[in-house]
Amino acid sequence: MESEQLFHRGYYRNSYNSITSASSDEELLDGAGVIMDFQTSEDDNLLDGDTAVGTHYTMTNGGSINSSTHLLDLLDEPIPGVGTYDDFHTIDWVREKCKDRERHRRINSKKKESAWEMTKSLYDAWSGWLVVTLTGLASGALAGLIDIAADWMTDLKEGICLGALWYNHEQCCWGSNETTFEERDKCPQWKTWAELIIGQAEGPGSYIMNYIMYIFWALSFAFLAVSLVKVFAPYACGSGIPEIKTILSGFIIRGYLGKWTLMIKTITLVLAVASGLSLGKEGPLVHVACCCGNIFSYLFPKYSTNEAKKREVLSAASAAGVSVAFGAPIGGVLFSLEEVSYYFPLKTLWRSFFAALVAAFVLRSINPFGNSRLVLFYVEYHTPWYLFELLPFILLGVFGGLWGAFFIRANIAWCRRRKSTKFGKYPVLEVIVVAAVTAVIAFPNPYTRLNTSELIKELFTDCGPLESSSLCDYRNDMNASKIVDDIPDRPAGVGVYAAIWQLCLALMFKIIMTVFTFGIKVPSGLFIPSMAIGAIAGRIVGIAVEQLAYYHHDWFLFKEWCEVGADCITPGLYAMVGAAACLGGVTRMTVSLVVIVFELTGGLEYIVPLMAAVMTSKWVGDAFGREGIYEAHIRLNGYPFLDAKEEFTHTTLAADVMRPRRSDPPLAVLTQDNMTVDDIENMVNGTSYNGFPVIMSRESQRLVGFALRRDLTIAIESARKKQEGIVGSSRVCFAQHTPSLPAESPRPLKLRSILDMSPFTVTDHTPMEIVVDIFRKLGLRQCLVTHNGRLLGIITKKDILRHMAQTANQDPASIMFN
């Protein structure tokens, strides 16, 4: 029953009393991972109506834009609550920037009055650096904790260290003198579950017992993770990056970055990774870092009271998240700039860089992997690449693009089916089924049984004299003419061929299970599974090219640069290029992805192969659809997000898109001085619109300004409590001077202070291409359409999204408000 309530719950925010609800982002909402019904609280429900039939538009000039608002200039005493936002609404970027400028002017004007005011001014100036420092510290500490806990719990599925229960498998055998080169992971201190329960280390009974315990622990971890998410913090599920992109574009999702979400996501991320599901912790670490940034921003008034400034902190936090996820501080900054941020001024670039630096420093100090590196799969190659190898690198790029296109279509189709069928009502059952299938199939194959990060590390690693992996089971050729630098290319042994078959099976398993795993109701990242798929394909291609060069070194392709006995081909490099190509195919990242992979490996000379593969994967993926996986999930969830990467090429005008339409009821408007309190309250309570234009009179239709529904209700409620003589028949005045009233009239209510005197306006003949550009670059909620100064209609962000869907021959109802 609880599951049904979660998935059928709407978020209707139109009641008069809901205006006074809590406005902290830390408020916990019991309903994420659910189908959000934005239709009932959308920003585009601002107005409906139409002009008279037969209106003739004769204006020929382009759009006229009023660019600034002075909302606070006229406030003698600010009304508490005015200027805040409801849940699932979009912020007004222009108003928020204006508020920040007013605050800055006020502080600057007072700082010379006293030492205390000067101190406050310095504190305000440094608060940005303080908040990103705290965010970086918290992100690095939590990432280290998650890494250590996930490694320990992953090994718990196979056994336990009797000497020290808190040691994972590798740490348990560090101090042992009884390990061998071939079996370096076996030591008396580490006991498998079969040894503990039935006393057998080898044989069929031991295998079956270890198999059963592996499945038991995987199901236990998965069940605990999904239960915690469902009961305590439904917003902790998924990757979090689509929602963070939407939040950074100005959308409000209360509780998504709150303290409960942070705590539950940290715990369940460890459980989800340890369960062996085909997911990663890197994407959710961005969500964790943004939660830290949001919580710390409440310590500083500069950010707690301004939604636009808060998003600057969240941009820096997302950079810190990628920094600790991949050990790539510069890549994190570029990821924030390229992939998630909507508004990224130069100041935010510096603070993002600093946050990423602090987070990486903290993680390096914790040293969670014991290798003095920031990531588990840090590798270094010593063999240069050759021009011929660009061909297999580009082929890997093609594979990455095809995989990305397939994954996006298959995963979105499955997620849409989950939402539209009864199967979506049982998230716990879905997680249990996926975890059970994953565990049953993964255990027999050593490459799927491995933790995915360990698998990537093994695939990236070059075969040296100290490697005992079956991937390095080459036959030693004692007749090589000479040895150059490293171990020369050698013929593959039985172990390599067996490993290739196992890797092929692992590749098919990962491709299928990742489609069904991404989007279930546990924290689930996509970076690591995509990199694992690419690394498997790359390693297979690398071994094939290596053997081709060994057996056919006299071919013209190899003759010039690959001598007999030379170390020409590095299969681990192919795995790295394949990993980058597949991740690029899914996310459509380019610059940031190349830098992240470069920082992972420390191989500066391999940037050209990486660039070639990543660009190829993007081109191939774009041929099937320009959306990355995060944009596709934003569209699936119906978030009001205008993607800057999309191009608008149609020749429609503002008059074609604005509302009201011909058949709609007339425009819902306020007049500046001839409406009563009761009139306004009736209009607010009788409609679901989130704002009303204010005009001089219904006859002239001359635009005066724009008043938000929330500000109107808060101001009237405040006036009734604090001002004497305000009754239902009191005249409401938005004009600068109160009109003359009869002596017996009740006291008028002045609401000019809440009026936006300079709303953005365009003419009815403004091309929609320009209107779309204005909305993208200024982050507008709505734009009013005028003709010779007379109000005609309104265009909202969702009107634009609907129009773009219609021009692409898509049904807007199937894309939005799901």
Side-chain angles (χ1 to χ4, degrees), residues 2-17:
E2 183 184 355
S3 178
E4 288 190 24
Q5 290 172 352
L6 272 176
F7 280 80
H8 287 301
R9 187 171 177 181
Y11 293 88
Y12 198 77
R13 289 290 183 270
N14 295 322
S15 69
Y16 183 78
N17 294 327

Side-chain angles (χ1 to χ4, degrees), residues 87 89 96 103 185 214 229 232 235 281 325 366-367 411 524 546 574 586 592 630 676 685 740 743 753:
D87 202 5
H89 284 63
E96 295 301 301
R103 180 197 58 79
D185 59 339
Y214 183 91
V229 167
F232 293 106
Y235 281 157
K281 59 180 180 292
I366 295 172
N367 193 18
N411 182 252
S524 53
E546 181 189 43
Y574 285 75
V586 170
S592 56
Y630 300 130
T676 64
N685 293 329
S740 57
S753 61

Side-chain angles (χ1 to χ4, degrees), residues 474-655:
Y474 290 91
R475 297 200 307 268
N476 288 318
D477 186 3
M478 297 304 180
N479 297 322
S481 58
K482 67 174 183 176
I483 294 178
V484 181
D485 295 330
D486 295 313
I487 294 177
D489 289 344
R490 297 161 291 164
V494 176
V496 173
Y497 289 115
I500 287 177
W501 281 110
Q502 290 172 334
L503 284 177
C504 288
L505 293 173
L507 180 64
M508 290 187 287
F509 167 77
K510 289 282 184 186
I511 286 174
I512 294 170
M513 291 312 301
T514 304
V515 169
F516 292 99
T517 304
F518 188 69
I520 60 176
K521 299 298 180 266
V522 293
S524 53
L526 189 59
F527 285 6
I528 288 298
S530 296
M531 290 180 70
I533 288 167
I536 293 170
R539 187 77 185 208
I540 293 170
V541 171
I543 292 172
V545 174
E546 181 189 43
Q547 294 305 298
L548 195 66
Y550 177 80
Y551 285 110
H552 302 283
H553 55 81
D554 55 341
W555 284 10
F556 77 95
L557 291 173
F558 307 110
K559 195 173 183 180
E560 296 297 325
W561 54 274
C562 191
E563 301 177 24
V564 178
D567 181 21
C568 306
I569 308 295
T570 307
L573 172 61
Y574 285 75
M576 182 184 78
V577 171
C582 281
L583 185 52
V586 170
T587 62
R588 306 296 158 82
M589 294 191 300
T590 51
V591 181
S592 56
L593 176 57
V594 170
V595 174
I596 286 171
V597 178
F598 152 61
E599 288 186 271
L600 276 179
T601 59
L604 183 62
E605 62 182 300
Y606 304 113
I607 279 187
V608 172
L610 286 171
M611 291 172 71
V614 168
M615 281 310 303
T616 305
S617 71
K618 178 172 172 56
W619 286 334
V620 172
D622 283 349
F624 293 92
R626 299 184 69 84
E627 281 185 333
I629 185 65
Y630 300 130
E631 290 80 15
H633 272 270
I634 287 172
R635 190 180 293 274
L636 177 71
N637 290 325
Y639 297 134
F641 180 78
L642 267 178
D643 192 358
K645 299 171 189 172
E646 285 188 51
E647 294 180 3
F648 187 87
T649 56
H650 299 276
T651 56
T652 49
L653 301 177

